[in-house]
Amino acid sequence: MSEPALPPLQPLDEDWDRALAVVAHPDDMEYGAAAAVARWTAQGKTVVYAMVTSGEAGIDGIDPAESGPLREAEQIASAALVGVDTVEFLHHPDGVLEYGLPLRRDIARLIRRHRPEIVITTNFRDTYGGTVPNQADHIAAGRATLDAIRDAGNRWVFRELLEEGHQPWDGVRQLWAAASPVGEHGVDTTDYFEAGVASLEAHAAYLAGLGGQMGDAREFLESMSRGNGSRLGTRFAASFEALPLKF
């Protein structure tokens, strides 16, 4: 019996100027969302990246003390290829990231500083659909980002941020989670697919250590983007779960 067809994707709202992407690791944005970022920066929008960890535990053959700086450098080069000039690293420990107040506080600080209209993260559901489990750092970072959006708008939460000079910001309209198994929205990335591939290929050391299907940037992204495109009515697309935060 064939799998039931997935419902069509609805176009994301692109009437905004500033976004902040908060993800667990270098390379997380590149596995699905970077081509959309290239589209948005080409429209004149500003997108800032923040990595909660430096991905230092992500390459088995390279000690974390060496891998962390290497992966930070790869992420900065990767982001530049899709028009992102600002990349920040929060330096939480890779692989053992914990959801909790310290993480929420650090992300709330970012949101108050950058004052985005849209916040982007990656899938924070338990799986990628079916029996494919999500990774623990992704879940912790995404859920902390969702809660930090509310924290950023409440002056009575993390009062020390006020003492640091970070005024509340409640201007985030939506949270977008890339590659969510319940994503119902999409972005046409047809004209920016090559930029997305180049941005993932910029993580050369990571891809070399990863191997397998996910180590082949073009093949992986083409398969995923083509499937999303069929749901949006375009050649290629990126999918997102869109959570409204203003009612």
Side-chain angles (χ1 to χ4, degrees):
M1 183 179 295
S2 61
E3 293 290 328
L6 293 171
L9 294 173
Q10 301 301 313
L12 273 178
D13 176 16
E14 293 186 313
D15 184 18
W16 52 272
D17 295 315
R18 190 169 186 84
L20 170 66
V22 183
V23 297
H25 314 109
D27 81 82
D28 284 351
M29 286 296 293
E30 284 66 53
Y31 275 104
V37 172
R39 171 188 171 102
W40 295 326
T41 58
Q43 294 172 347
K45 305 181 193 305
T46 298
V47 181
V48 172
Y49 279 6
M51 311 290 133
V52 174
T53 81
S54 297
E56 67 274 11
I59 304 177
D60 183 68
I62 304 179
D63 186 272
E66 179 183 353
S67 177
L70 172 60
R71 297 203 64 197
E72 287 188 4
E74 288 189 339
Q75 181 61 73
I76 292 168
S78 169
L81 294 173
V82 294
V84 175
D85 300 325
T86 301
V87 182
E88 299 192 20
F89 300 90
L90 299 185
H91 298 119
H92 285 252
D94 183 24
V96 291
L97 188 63
E98 291 185 299
Y99 172 92
L101 296 180
L103 182 55
R104 281 171 50 187
R105 181 189 300 112
D106 285 351
I107 299 173
R109 182 185 291 109
L110 278 172
I111 293 168
R112 290 191 185 195
R113 284 177 43 227
H114 291 290
R115 307 176 86 77
E117 300 159 78
I118 301 295
V119 172
I120 302 163
T121 191
T122 53
N123 176 31
F124 54 85
R125 303 294 178 178
D126 290 338
T127 74
Y128 282 96
T131 60
V132 180
N134 200 351
Q135 197 264 356
D137 285 359
H138 300 161
I139 296 170
R143 291 179 177 171
T145 298
L146 172 59
D147 289 336
I149 292 171
R150 292 181 286 234
D151 298 334
N154 188 334
R155 71 175 56 253
W156 306 122
V157 176
F158 301 133
R159 298 186 194 184
E160 59 271 36
L161 297 182
L162 288 175
E163 297 171 3
E164 295 173 10
H166 303 302
Q167 294 298 314
W169 174 250
D170 66 352
V172 178
R173 290 159 33 196
Q174 293 190 357
L175 172 70
W176 295 346
S180 168
V182 294
E184 296 181 345
H185 289 77
V187 178
D188 180 3
T189 58
T190 304
D191 293 340
Y192 301 94
F193 176 75
E194 293 299 331
V197 171
S199 70
L200 181 52
E201 289 178 339
H203 294 272
Y206 177 69
L207 293 178
L210 188 62
Q213 181 186 11
M214 291 189 68
D216 186 330
R218 180 174 295 278
E219 181 178 345
F220 183 88
L221 292 179
E222 182 166 348
S223 175
M224 182 171 60
S225 300
R226 193 178 297 279
N228 290 329
S230 68
R231 297 176 63 194
L232 188 64
T234 62
R235 183 181 179 193
F236 295 127
S239 68
F240 294 84
E241 177 182 356
L243 284 75
L245 299 165
K246 295 288 185 183
F247 299 95

